[in-house]
Amino acid sequence: MTEQPPTPAVSAHVLLSSVPTDMGEVLSSIQPGMGDPLAGAPLLPSFEMRVNGADLTIGAFGAPISDPRLQADLANSPLRQTLTQPVADHRASISLGVNPPQDFAASLDTWATVVAYLLDRDDAVAVWLPYQQHVTTDVMFMGWAERDMAVNLTGVHAMWLDGDQTASVAFTSGLAALGGRELQLRGERGPAAAHALLQAGTAAELNQRRIPQPGGTIVVEQTPYLLVEGTGAVDGRPVLDLVAQLPGQQAAEKPKKRRWPFG
């Protein structure tokens, strides 16, 4: 049976086109010489380490990832045409996970930075972020790492809701792993515009070291959006809907809490 990467609350899996020689080589991908004490050691599925005060779990696997979620997330990726062949051909992977403490920001920044270092390997072909249901390229992840690291911390997906393309939805995937609730933006603006707006708003909150909360407000392009409890249009889960507050408009009355059968 193919050994699968561990799954902390927040995890990334860097797909490789070649198998690392040993665990020392893997750690030295993060910082030259870091893996010297483990030179010659076999690949380990789980190795605890502390980097800049963050407790991380790294693992290395000398076989392709067989988890069916990878293929499912690839099928929904806007970069699937670019990624399909590299994902199919990958031979090994490195996982990196963190369980965010209550003050999550510093640990997540360190985690994302180390992921970027791992993606700088010559044999890195893609990165899978299962808690975000997201697969992307090394170029995209590292590009956001340079411009706005918070974008890499949660995925945003968008689609049309109807065949006539009159209603769209964008929603986050990843805030739940950070201890929050996923966000949702519905309307007529189209998936691309909705994706960009929700991505910017979510990153702005995370850059302020905040997890969006019911009744809170997110400001994007000078427009405040009230966060109102709602239901996911795609999967029916509880979400926070973004409701635009126009100039002079009173905040919408908070709806009565729905009683979900599972609590």
Side-chain angles (χ1 to χ4, degrees), residues 25-207:
E25 181 212 322
V26 171
L27 294 179
S28 291
S29 303
I30 302 170
Q31 182 177 336
M34 185 177 183
D36 288 355
L38 289 178
L43 301 181
L44 301 173
S46 181
F47 181 79
E48 305 293 328
M49 63 181 184
R50 177 171 279 259
V51 179
N52 293 340
D55 293 319
L56 306 179
T57 303
I58 191 169
F61 303 84
I65 296 175
S66 60
D67 191 324
R69 295 177 301 163
L70 172 58
Q71 293 301 322
D73 293 345
L74 174 63
N76 292 321
S77 171
L79 298 174
R80 58 186 172 275
Q81 288 187 332
T82 300
L83 287 166
T84 294
Q85 199 60 49
V87 170
D89 293 343
H90 85 280
R91 298 179 55 203
S93 68
I94 300 172
S95 67
L96 187 74
V98 61
N99 288 303
Q102 189 165 3
D103 180 14
F104 66 91
S107 292
L108 287 175
D109 283 347
T110 298
W111 168 82
T113 300
V114 174
V115 172
Y117 287 151
L118 292 170
L119 283 168
D120 202 33
R121 291 174 57 102
D122 291 339
D123 59 352
V125 297
V127 59
W128 176 40
L129 302 137
Y131 80 101
Q132 298 182 19
Q133 299 177 297
H134 183 48
V135 188
T136 191
T137 65
D138 54 339
V139 173
M140 288 293 291
F141 190 97
M142 294 175 72
W144 280 117
E146 294 175 356
R147 299 194 301 275
D148 187 352
M149 184 66 86
V151 171
N152 284 328
L153 301 183
T154 184
V156 176
H157 307 273
M159 64 186 68
W160 291 109
L161 285 173
D162 59 348
D164 295 331
Q165 297 188 351
T166 60
S168 65
V169 63
F171 55 94
T172 63
S173 181
L175 288 176
L178 309 185
R181 189 180 297 182
E182 305 299 351
L183 304 181
Q184 176 175 265
L185 177 63
R186 302 181 64 164
E188 302 173 359
R189 55 179 55 83
H195 180 282
L197 192 152
L198 186 57
Q199 184 182 70
T202 304
E205 286 294 287
L206 294 176
N207 278 323

Side-chain angles (χ1 to χ4, degrees), residues 209-231:
R209 297 176 179 256
R210 293 194 299 255
I211 296 292
Q213 299 294 332
T217 301
I218 290 179
V219 178
V220 185
E221 297 179 351
Q222 300 183 336
T223 299
Y225 290 82
L226 184 67
L227 300 180
V228 178
E229 294 183 1
T231 302

